[in-house]
Amino acid sequence: SWKCRLSSRRWYSRRCVRGAMKGSNGHIGTVILDLDGTLVDSAVDLARASDLLLGVHGLAAIGVAGTRRLIGHGIANLVDQALSSRGVKLDAQGLSAATERFKVLYAQCIPDGSVLYPGVREALAELQAAGWRLVVCTNKLEAFSRTILDALGIGGFFDIDAGPDTFGVAKPDPAHLVNTLPQGKLTAGHPAIMVGDSEVDIATARAAGIPVIAMSYGYAKAPLATLKPDAVADSFSRVPALVARLTTEQAVAIGGR
């Protein structure tokens, strides 16, 4: 059975995000980054919380492999699918209660089993040094995301850490991405690139009109080739070069109109 340490952290939502004061001055554009499956492998902690919740309901664990297939659509969906995989379908009230219970369990587990993918820290530093403004856009609640980023030592790279509770919208709604940009919209002269790993990330970027880089090691359910991102990277160390390439291609396309 999973054992998670109790956390004394105080959970809160940083709605006055740091990027609100920095604006776009001094930045050449914004790179919008997904969290789970892109920056961080969080499957172990999510599996711990999922299995603890299933145990509360007297159900068998699904483990890391089972949980990994459920990541990407937010906590309520993960809880619903985890219970459904064991033959339990709750009504709206029951699902809401189970989701709240999951949040408590997950808060006790993070960030013990969450780890950065190789090359993440170095590539973020490279992007920042090149003048890019970095933000996180995740379907994980903002407080959970912030705790993981800070614990892994990369929280300081990001102007905004936007969860579904930050702006009241969640991927695949393109407003989730767009609200992380300066002035809350796409503007001429400030390119934006999305880096993600899943169908949700690619669909959201497409809907927002933003080029997207897909990480091949993440939690996508379908082959990336069928999703047609603008670029695919097998290692996060490749991201800075791909961001530069897509920005150049974007500028050429606009100049040729």
Side-chain angles (χ1 to χ4, degrees), residues 36-177:
D36 300 316
T38 299
L39 297 171
V40 176
D41 186 352
S42 55
V44 169
D45 285 337
L46 288 166
R48 286 172 175 167
S50 296
D51 288 350
L52 287 168
L53 179 68
L54 291 171
V56 169
H57 288 266
L59 303 171
I62 59 175
V64 175
T67 302
R68 190 178 295 273
R69 293 191 290 269
L70 309 180
I71 299 171
H73 296 267
I75 288 177
N77 181 77
L78 188 153
V79 169
D80 185 32
Q81 294 302 310
L83 290 167
S84 294
S85 72
R86 291 295 182 243
V88 174
K89 195 67 178 177
L90 300 178
D91 59 20
Q93 184 176 0
L95 179 59
S96 177
T99 300
E100 292 305 311
R101 183 65 179 270
F102 178 92
K103 291 177 185 177
V104 172
L105 295 170
Y106 188 53
Q108 295 169 4
C109 294
I110 59 172
D112 293 352
S114 296
V115 295
L116 292 178
Y117 287 108
V120 165
R121 192 186 315 275
E122 296 79 5
L124 292 176
E126 185 177 345
L127 288 165
Q128 190 176 68
W132 288 96
R133 175 177 173 267
L134 306 178
V135 303
V136 168
C137 184
T138 174
N139 278 347
K140 189 185 296 294
L141 292 174
E142 185 183 333
F144 293 152
S145 177
R146 176 56 54 187
T147 292
I148 292 170
L149 293 172
D150 287 347
L152 295 178
I154 62 171
F157 283 110
F158 304 107
D159 278 8
I160 293 177
D161 178 15
D165 52 331
T166 304
F167 302 118
V169 291
K171 297 179 294 186
D173 189 329
H176 196 179
L177 296 192

Side-chain angles (χ1 to χ4, degrees), residues 31-41 115-128 134-136 149 154 157-158 193-197 201 213-218 232-243:
V31 178
I32 307 166
L33 298 125
D34 173 55
L35 181 67
D36 300 316
T38 299
L39 297 171
V40 176
D41 186 352
V115 295
L116 292 178
Y117 287 108
V120 165
R121 192 186 315 275
E122 296 79 5
L124 292 176
E126 185 177 345
L127 288 165
Q128 190 176 68
L134 306 178
V135 303
V136 168
L149 293 172
I154 62 171
F157 283 110
F158 304 107
I193 307 287
M194 173 72 186
V195 184
D197 70 294
D201 295 323
I213 300 167
M215 308 311 300
S216 65
Y217 52 68
V232 176
D234 295 326
S235 167
F236 203 88
S237 63
R238 290 280 301 141
V239 169
L242 290 173
V243 166

Side-chain angles (χ1 to χ4, degrees), residues 4-8 107-108:
C4 301
R5 62 172 178 78
L6 291 175
S7 172
S8 61
Q108 295 169 4

Side-chain angles (χ1 to χ4, degrees), residues 2 47 161 183 235 252:
W2 294 108
D161 178 15
Q183 304 176 41
S235 167
V252 170

Side-chain angles (χ1 to χ4, degrees), residues 250-257:
Q250 204 176 13
V252 170
I254 292 171
R257 289 176 185 170

